[in-house]
Amino acid sequence: MGKPVEAIQPDTDMNALILVINCGSSSIKFSLADPAESRHVLSGMAENLGQEAVLSWKGIAKDSRDIGDADHTAALLEVVNLLHELGLTCSGVGHRVVHGGEHFSGSCLVDEESMEALRAHQHLAPLHNPVNILGIEAAQEAFPGIPQVMVFDTSFHQSMPERAYLYPIPYELYEEHRIRRYGFHGTSHRYVAAEGARLLGKSPEELCLVTAHLGNGCSAAAVKHGVSVDTTMGLTPLEGLVMGTRSGDVDPSLHQYLCDTLGMTLADVTGMLNKKSGLLGLSGSSNDMRQLLELAENGDKRAALAVEVFCYRLAKSIAGLVVGLGHLDAVIFTGGIGENSLPVRKRVLQLLEFLGLKEDPDLNAVHGREHQGRITASENPLAMVVNTDEEMVIARDTAANLPDLS
Ligand code: ADP
């Protein structure tokens, strides 16, 4: 165990704080946010759970400590201790939950009924939802009596019309098994659409936007008058754009073909499409856009090819999403790549020039957190960079869903 942290004098004017939890299989990311001020007070991570776990944090205090072989519950109890030592409290806990199926079209309070519905949807995201449920149960133990709220990656896209969410396969598969397109990254698309509108001095209801969330996972969405009308991810986060290690769209016959010709199993192909494809598979060297751009700059042809396929498919998808909008006011770039990678934005805008998008090289020379806003010479339509903040969406939704105790 590390040294005790120095207690700080809490700000007496501090608003009610919300603890946001994003639970992975061996890690928990957390952020203590002040949604009224759109401010993160403290954020951190417990990594390597179950082995030699480490809790680290930054914000109003910065440090790390070993937390032994802590599991999810023990790690959250360490977060409770940390908040206590820092003189901080939270009035609600918000959980990122990957898949809410059709049942959850918005965020909701954790109670017996919502937990039962969530458990009934585990099969839709077998890698993610069970660990999200574990996180909620662990937080219920660690923060007894504090209300908890679940916020879904999928719910923003529940407004998609049938024509966008149905697969052209036998309709009974939808009716009986709810096999359809759901979409993900909803908190990010929702945040940057609202923030983009704010930066443009408009209300989201006035705008037709394509939002491109480009991180390790990538998806784009058509956001018409503030609601999602289409998106690139589907039943699972494998569909759509080229990603770090995920292929995005491939021929649906690929599984069968690889099984027949190379003797691969279904699980082999699924693993390959999720973990060894995308930027990594094409380049053969990295899933990291920054590294690939450096390699390409130094003459690595496969790295350059991976970046080009990434940009081409992205541009093609953005143009396709405009069909769902019927009109385009702005394309918004966000996520690690969208916020930081000037060459990717430049190439995508080049490919989309026919839509009237014209890069302004000086404006496009923006970097991540330092600057956001328009990057095109054209204003109608325009393209812009907006820094995403998924945790703030979760904090705001949590605050909005807390029971009124007055
Ligand atoms: P996650 O989806 O895991 O949250 P991020 O949103 O942090 O991921 O995005 C990670 C991606 O952002 C990586 O491909 C990384 O290379 C890329 N990235 C981060 N900074 C830069 C940069 N300065 N230039 C190009 N790509 C960058």
Side-chain angles (χ1 to χ4, degrees), residues 29 185 213-217 279 287-291 293 335-338 340-342 367 390:
K29 286 188 198 154
H185 292 142
H213 176 100
L214 312 172
N216 280 310
L279 293 173
N287 63 336
D288 189 298
M289 184 56 89
R290 200 172 358 188
Q291 278 181 25
L293 290 168
I337 299 172
N340 298 298
S341 178
L342 178 160
H367 265 286
E390 294 166 273

Side-chain angles (χ1 to χ4, degrees), residues 18 80 136 200 214 218 258 308:
I18 302 292
V80 175
I136 295 174
L200 295 173
L214 312 172
C218 300
L258 292 175
E308 178 63 6

Side-chain angles (χ1 to χ4, degrees), residues 126-158:
L127 295 180
H128 296 105
N129 272 25
V131 81
N132 296 153
I133 291 171
L134 184 74
I136 295 174
E137 287 167 349
Q140 283 174 321
E141 253 183 75
F143 297 89
I146 302 226
Q148 321 237 357
V149 170
M150 30 181 128
V151 181
F152 301 90
D153 274 19
T154 48
S155 59
F156 181 57
H157 301 298
Q158 278 298 300

Side-chain angles (χ1 to χ4, degrees), residues 29-98:
K29 286 188 198 154
F30 69 90
S31 169
L32 189 69
D34 176 351
E37 298 286 332
S38 294
R39 183 169 72 107
H40 293 281
V41 176
L42 187 77
S43 59
M45 196 168 184
E47 288 171 278
N48 216 17
L49 297 180
Q51 299 172 41
E52 289 167 2
V54 177
L55 177 69
S56 57
W57 61 92
K58 62 181 186 192
I60 53 167
K62 185 171 187 290
D63 210 337
S64 68
R65 61 168 63 146
D66 297 334
I67 53 171
D69 61 356
D71 61 6
H72 288 79
T73 308
L76 282 178
L77 285 168
E78 291 287 347
V79 175
V80 175
N81 289 340
L82 176 65
L83 297 187
H84 186 70
E85 288 165 30
L86 290 170
L88 297 164
T89 53
C90 67
S91 38
V93 179
H95 295 267
R96 177 202 177 199
V97 179
V98 169

